[in-house]
Amino acid sequence: MNESHAGRNHPAPQASHGSHTTHVEIEGMNCASCVGRVERAIADVPGVESVAVNLATERADIVFSGAPDIAGIVESLERAGYPARQEEVELAIEGMSCASCVGRVEQALAAVPGVTQASVNLATGRAHLRVVAGAVDMGQLADAVRSSGYDAEPIGAAEAGGRDSDAREAEQRALARRVTLAAALTVPVVILDMGTHFVPAIHDAVMATIGMQGSWLLQFVVVSVILFGPGLIFFRKGLPALARGAPEMNSLVAIGTGAAWAYSTVATFAPGLLPEGTVNVYFEAAAVIVTLILFGRLLEARAKGRTSEAIRHLIGLQAKTARIVRDGREVNVALDEVATGDIVRVRPGEKIPVDGTVLEGSSFVDESMITGEPIPVAKGENAEVVGGTINKTGTFAFRATKVGSQSLLAQIIRMVEAAQASKLPIQALVDRVTFYFVPIVIAVAIATFLTWLVFGPAPALTFALVNAVAVLIIACPCAMGLATPTSIMVGTGRAAESGVLFRKGDALQTLRDADVIAFDKTGTLTEGRPELVDLVVAEGFAEDDVLRLVASVESRSEHPIGEAIATAAERRGLDLHAVEDFEATPGFGVRANAGGRAVEVGADRLMTRLGLDVSTFADVAGRLGADGKTPLYAAIDNKLAAIIAVADPVKPSTPDAIAAIHALGLDVAMVTGDNRKTAEAIARRLGIDEVVAEVLPDGKVDAVQRLGEGGRRVAFVGDGINDAPALAEADVGIAIGTGTDIAIESADVVLMSGDLRGVVNAIALSKATLRNIKQNLFWAFAYNTALIPVAAGVLYPAFGILLSPVFAAAAMALSSVCVLTNALRLKRFKPPLAGSADAAARPRPSDSLKEA
């Protein structure tokens, strides 16, 4: 029977010989009863020898009689209602060269007790892990990676970007040195060997000086330096992987070049061991293969560096220093010395160092690097400013509210990095194939060797060796491993530059597959605040006079409609009258004396009570009703003066966005709490296909589920706190960046500005990225499927064609470069809808009020 300790703060149990102790941090405990339930849940897991739970530290110390079963502990705690706390960690992985490496590292990390999820990205060289807090330390993870033949080191969010950049530059410098040395030594070997065969003058010179045996000895020396100098990396990594039974890309190169070198060495020093007619050397093939593959890796490393330019660009937006006010003086400090609450002063042309709220001064700020909006934004007192944006004209001081990792720019960088490190569903099949790819290639090479040795023409051993080496060298798991992650990196980076953040990489695929784009109305399709949109005055009244009188009365009202009318008067520069005898009648409207005149504003029933006939405005009222607007009327000195409409105006970008979504072949739905008549009028005006009206704030999840009936995939676009559940429920949640933090946290995609054309651009980019991934995968699989049989010699019986290992090496080196180059084409992606510069320039509806 498992032993359980019911006390709250027991000392950690002692492990007996052969036992293993582990620790798990637990959420949700708040009393001694919780401790007892948690201990019983853990004690029920087979293999638990003893357990002690500490309420103060919220930690369980567990002794297992054998190997720890962390997965069993997590499952048992979940059932008991006290989940184990999990955290995310990242490791920098060094030494991976192909998709097979990714599979080996993932397998090693997933086997560590306490790791619940492991995802390794070849393009970024990182492992992203979810682990049970307290159960795993970084040393265990690093040891697991090293046991699989690779190096690992933990990385923190703050150092990730700079570290990656430095590591890539160091890798490129080292590869460039290897390529230079290998090429310098390979050229004379090729001249010596190939010239002897094809250039009579070189043949005669060699035979008259050092002779053929001397030529072979010289080639042996030089090629040995190439293989065990610049090419040693293939043997150091490939042979241990082969010995572990986990061969990868380097193993293929090591076997192929090693076989060519070994055969040539035997032919040079012990030719009697080889059958008659097979004494040939292939030193030049081994040298050229190593040089070409190293050159391919150099091109690949440079292309990989370009795929992560978006992250480097975002990091480059950060200011290096800040000017803060201390003891009444302005002092320059390093960015990491700025604290929340500091007063920061910014001058024209300077970068804003951190997020904050303006205290004094005003300016225009270029926020295009964050939102994609090209027009500088006016900033005054109480306005929010974002670190990394550029102050254009004025000088202002602001209070720092978010610094360091809490700033918006830091969050954006983390979002982009997380998206780039993620794997799409389409990658699962690729991972399964590539895991077994290298062993299959080795098996094919062995079969090729044996087939040619038994059935090939004389000299059979020579044919067998050359074709087996060609098979080993031409196979390229690198291209398959890079096909998906490089496209994701470039695609998500390009999206970030356009003001679209993919918080989750798999949203790239699910957004492409969406059938319905559902919009919340208020604040998403519309501006989210009521404005005066129509004012039509009766004969004998002047528009400004009516607006001044009505606004004077409405300024005393607490209703949002009153605020909208007062704001419209303020925009026109109209001074308001003093108001007396203000009175509000629920269901009817308001009345007061303003500027010595009696003013009544309200519904048609108020006008009827006053004995006024509103039929004069029947046509206007009908038009307003058809547009989903509710008309109000104004009477001055007991005469009907005007008809007024206040509404939440549609965003200027909304019509273009909806038209573009339709052009993509998708349906558009609107979810709103408005009554059905109003909602359908708005839908008709905008061309919306489906309307879900009269939805209560807690009913949006049901609305999303209804829209998804019949297997339709739904993308929901919203901005408010009450949109968060619907954003989480939808297949893809798209949050407006100007909305609430809760909505953003619930979303898969974030539009940094309120411009809905970003939805269209996000969909178009997801389609372009998936198309790019499919092109890469087609190339990678088609390349290997077509050329491995050619390298094995299937064309020889019919056409007499064999593939030289040298050409095989060139093809393999170029295959990865082709995949990377194709992925980099996404950097030239042009959003189908331009930025909102033109939208910003359009007049607002309230700027052009009509007069009868």
Side-chain angles (χ1 to χ4, degrees), residues 435-589:
F435 187 78
Y436 299 104
F437 179 78
V438 174
I440 290 172
V441 169
I442 293 175
V444 171
I446 293 172
T448 299
F449 182 85
L450 294 175
T451 300
W452 279 93
L453 189 62
V454 175
F455 301 106
L461 180 60
T462 299
F463 278 108
L465 175 71
V466 170
N467 291 319
V469 170
V471 168
L472 291 168
I473 297 303
I474 202 163
C476 188
C478 304
M480 292 188 286
L482 292 169
T484 301
T486 50
S487 295
I488 293 174
M489 288 180 68
V490 181
T492 53
R494 183 68 186 92
E497 292 170 356
S498 304
V500 177
L501 295 181
F502 284 88
R503 295 186 67 243
K504 300 172 185 174
D506 57 5
L508 274 168
Q509 185 166 338
T510 49
L511 182 58
R512 181 209 60 164
D513 296 332
D515 302 302
V516 182
I517 311 297
F519 291 91
D520 170 59
K521 186 191 75 115
T522 305
T524 304
L525 291 173
T526 65
E527 297 285 4
R529 58 181 182 274
E531 291 185 3
L532 177 63
V533 291
D534 291 273
L535 172 60
V536 181
V537 297
E539 189 175 350
F541 290 90
E543 186 177 300
D544 282 356
D545 292 340
V546 172
L547 180 57
R548 179 185 283 108
L549 289 167
V550 171
S552 300
V553 174
E554 290 287 2
S555 66
R556 299 289 295 272
S557 170
E558 296 179 357
H559 197 283
I561 288 177
E563 183 180 345
I565 294 172
T567 300
E570 183 181 340
R571 281 186 184 148
R572 289 199 177 190
L574 303 176
D575 296 326
L576 303 186
H577 297 293
V579 176
E580 298 175 347
D581 302 327
F582 177 83
E583 180 183 344
T585 305
F588 286 87

Side-chain angles (χ1 to χ4, degrees), residues 139-422:
Q140 289 176 274
L141 299 173
D143 289 344
V145 174
R146 292 188 189 104
S147 70
S148 64
Y150 307 91
D151 292 326
E153 199 172 338
I155 55 178
E159 61 177 335
R163 177 198 189 91
D164 281 357
S165 180
D166 293 342
R168 289 198 189 282
E169 288 177 6
E171 178 191 10
Q172 289 179 33
R173 287 195 297 271
L175 277 170
R177 288 193 297 270
R178 290 194 186 104
V179 169
T180 302
L181 177 58
L185 294 174
T186 297
V187 169
V189 171
V190 171
I191 292 173
L192 193 62
D193 184 85
M194 303 305 287
T196 302
H197 289 90
F198 299 109
V199 182
I202 295 178
H203 174 81
D204 294 342
V206 168
M207 298 305 293
T209 52
I210 58 177
M212 188 59 70
Q213 184 66 19
S215 171
W216 288 5
L217 286 170
L218 183 59
Q219 289 181 52
F220 166 77
V221 172
V222 176
V223 173
S224 296
V225 172
I226 294 172
L227 257 64
F228 304 111
L232 187 60
I233 184 174
F234 300 119
F235 295 90
R236 277 184 173 167
K237 294 182 181 295
L239 296 183
L242 189 64
R244 289 191 303 271
E248 35 94 297
M249 174 74 191
N250 293 301
S251 305
L252 297 180
V253 179
I255 295 171
T257 57
W261 177 84
Y263 184 93
S264 303
T265 301
V266 171
T268 301
F269 294 101
L273 298 177
L274 299 175
E276 187 177 349
T278 63
V279 180
N280 299 296
V281 297
Y282 299 97
F283 287 124
E284 95 291 344
V288 172
I289 288 168
V290 167
T291 301
L292 285 175
I293 293 175
L294 285 173
F295 180 62
R297 289 198 176 176
L298 176 61
L299 295 177
E300 183 181 313
R302 288 177 175 169
K304 278 184 184 176
R306 289 180 62 198
T307 64
S308 57
E309 280 179 357
I311 291 289
R312 290 200 298 275
H313 171 70
L314 289 170
I315 293 172
L317 294 178
Q318 295 172 324
K320 302 294 185 290
T321 61
R323 185 181 297 102
I324 63 174
V325 179
R326 285 184 179 167
D327 301 324
R329 295 186 304 109
E330 293 182 9
V331 293
N332 284 319
V333 299
L335 185 63
D336 56 9
E337 293 181 30
V338 181
T340 302
D342 280 346
I343 308 301
V344 183
R345 188 168 294 280
V346 185
R347 294 173 181 168
E350 293 182 340
K351 285 183 180 178
I352 296 172
V354 296
D355 299 359
T357 305
V358 176
L359 297 176
E360 62 179 51
S362 62
S363 183
F364 283 87
V365 174
D366 180 2
E367 297 183 339
S368 60
M369 61 287 297
I370 302 293
T371 65
E373 300 278 356
I375 303 299
V377 181
K379 300 291 182 180
E381 192 173 333
N382 297 322
E384 300 291 327
V385 291
V386 177
T389 56
I390 299 174
N391 179 33
K392 300 296 285 185
T393 54
T395 298
F396 61 89
F398 69 93
R399 186 183 305 279
T401 56
K402 291 181 180 178
V403 300
S405 62
Q406 299 304 309
S407 69
L408 178 62
L409 184 57
Q411 293 177 49
I412 291 172
I413 291 171
R414 285 199 298 274
M415 285 184 194
V416 175
E417 286 180 333
Q420 292 185 343
S422 63

